[in-house]
């Protein structure tokens, strides 16, 4: 081979090698989730599709089995009631939980306790077990994940009425969700830990709505960053979506918090 052709041949081989590497690189699939929860799951999913789409290659499809103020006990009880009464359709007046579980193939199914009971250990069982078993039966290919909800914000009338601090509520719910995850070897979406860390680091970013328990725009964004990071395996720092009306520096701080919490919450 002449000296003129050697560099061209080497360059050609390099191009082939790079092309092969790109072809072998897996394309990130769509992530399909079903939420079995209440308004706190709605909060966490508020910006989730936009968050996912801002990271190249990702999108998230969300199906919801959420009922406002619904506890684990109520969701579990509705399973039996649907079996007793085929005409009962508690989810959107169209579906029973079995319908939603078998509607499509999910990557993740999330469950959570209603926030007002999240710190009460006796409120979780046997209802969580019934739900987890039902999910495993009707959506065997999905990973069940526990959504750790958050403690209420400063100035919460509920906390005052319960003679409880925000720290007390966080401690109780953290222990209960961790115990549940350990019992069934499930992973956690640590939204509550992210809320707590965020407020400890920067109390100037309020995460709660006027009722002091639902999430506002910042809280919804933070929870969405946590969910995306956990479900995709990507760092929330890669997220580029910023909700309208939110300062980019505040969004950057919340993404950083989500990344830190997820890093410390690895199984």
């Amino acid at each position: 081979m002449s000296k003129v052709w050697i560099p061209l041949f080497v360059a050609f081989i390099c191009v082939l090698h790079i092309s092969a590497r790109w072809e072998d690189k897996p394309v990130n699939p769509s992530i399909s989730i079903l939420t079995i929860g209440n308004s706190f799951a709605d909060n966490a999913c508020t910006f989730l599709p936009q968050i996912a789409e801002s990271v190249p290659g990702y999108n998230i499809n969300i199906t919801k089995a959420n009922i406002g103020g619904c506890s684990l006990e109520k969701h579990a009880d509705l399973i039996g009631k649907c079996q007793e009464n085929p005409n009962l359709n508690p989810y959107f007046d169209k579906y029973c939980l079995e319908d939603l579980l078998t509607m499509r193939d999910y990557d993740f199914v999330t469950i959570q306790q209603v926030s007002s009971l999240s710190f009460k250990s006796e409120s979780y069982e046997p209802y969580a077990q019934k739900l987890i078993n039902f999910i495993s039966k009707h959506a065997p290919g999905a990973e069940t994940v526990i959504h750790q909800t958050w403690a209420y914000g400063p100035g919460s009338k509920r906390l005052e009425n319960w003679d409880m601090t925000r720290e007390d509520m966080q401690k109780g719910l953290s222990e209960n969700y961790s115990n549940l995850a350990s019992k069934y070897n499930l992973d956690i979406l640590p939204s509550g830990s992210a809320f707590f860390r965020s407020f400890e680091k920067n109390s100037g970013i309020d995460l709660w709505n006027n009722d002091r328990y639902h999430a506002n725009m910042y809280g919804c964004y933070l929870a969405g960053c946590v969910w995306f990071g956990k479900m995709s395996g990507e760092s929330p720092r890669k997220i580029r979506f910023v909700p309208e009306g939110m300062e980019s520096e505040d969004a950057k701080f919340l993404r950083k918090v989500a990344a830190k919490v997820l890093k410390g919450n690895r199984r």
Side-chain angles (χ1 to χ4, degrees):
M1 183 180 294
S2 70
K3 293 182 180 180
V4 175
W5 286 101
I6 289 175
L8 294 175
F9 179 75
V10 171
F12 178 70
I13 294 298
C14 289
V15 169
L16 286 179
H17 178 65
I18 292 171
S19 299
R21 285 182 61 192
W22 277 108
E23 289 175 2
D24 292 340
K25 186 177 180 181
V27 177
N28 298 321
S30 297
I31 300 172
S32 181
I33 67 175
L34 171 67
T35 63
I36 304 175
N38 46 57
S39 57
F40 276 39
D42 287 332
N43 285 172
C45 293
T46 299
F47 298 119
L48 190 53
Q50 298 98 312
I51 285 171
E53 289 169 6
S54 74
V55 180
Y58 282 98
N59 65 82
I60 288 182
N61 299 309
I62 306 169
T63 303
K64 297 180 180 180
N66 301 334
I67 299 174
C70 196
S71 63
L72 290 169
E73 180 178 5
K74 183 173 180 179
H75 279 298
D77 287 348
L78 286 173
I79 292 173
K81 290 180 178 178
C82 275
Q83 291 170 342
E84 295 169 1
N85 181 5
N87 295 318
L88 179 66
N89 298 301
Y91 300 98
F92 306 104
D93 295 323
K94 290 183 178 180
Y95 309 106
C96 281
L97 186 57
E98 182 177 343
D99 300 324
L100 292 172
L101 284 168
T102 57
M103 182 177 292
R104 55 181 55 89
D105 293 330
Y106 299 104
D107 297 296
F108 301 95
V109 177
T110 70
I111 64 171
Q112 65 189 59
Q113 181 56 293
V114 66
S115 65
S116 58
L117 296 176
S118 60
F119 52 90
K120 297 183 178 182
S121 59
E122 68 276 11
S123 70
Y124 284 74
E125 294 290 18
Y127 319 111
Q129 182 180 45
K130 185 173 183 179
L131 273 174
I132 291 167
N133 289 343
F134 196 74
I135 294 166
S136 297
K137 178 180 179 180
H138 295 288
E143 178 183 348
T144 302
V145 189
I146 297 170
H147 180 212
Q148 179 206 61
T149 54
W150 48 86
Y152 299 160
S156 167
K157 293 296 182 183
R158 287 187 175 187
L159 290 178
E160 290 179 14
N161 292 337
W162 297 335
D163 192 26
M164 177 182 289
T165 66
R166 185 174 61 88
E167 291 77 12
D168 292 334
M169 185 175 182
Q170 178 67 27
K171 182 176 183 293
L173 69 85
S174 293
E175 290 177 354
N176 291 332
Y177 281 120
S178 293
N179 290 339
L180 186 65
S182 296
K183 182 178 180 179
Y184 296 102
N185 194 30
L186 301 178
D187 219 336
I188 289 179
L189 297 162
S191 299
S193 296
F195 268 60
F196 196 79
R197 181 185 180 94
S198 176
F199 193 76
E200 290 294 297
K201 294 292 183 180
N202 186 354
S203 61
I205 298 181
D206 191 8
L207 304 171
W208 297 270
N209 211 334
N210 292 336
D211 61 21
R212 309 312 292 158
Y213 54 94
H214 286 110
N216 63 13
M217 172 177 66
Y218 297 91
C220 290
Y221 183 73
L222 176 58
C225 289
V226 169
W227 279 43
F228 172 76
K230 174 61 73 173
M231 292 177 173
S232 68
E234 300 281 1
S235 171
R237 295 174 188 268
K238 295 183 178 181
I239 295 166
R240 292 295 173 263
F241 169 74
V242 178
E244 184 176 354
M246 183 180 295
E247 295 291 336
S248 59
E249 285 303 308
D250 291 342
K252 182 179 179 181
F253 168 78
L254 295 172
R255 294 194 298 269
K256 180 179 178 181
V257 168
K260 289 282 189 180
V261 168
L262 288 173
K263 186 176 181 180
N265 196 67
R266 288 177 180 169
R267 290 175 62 187

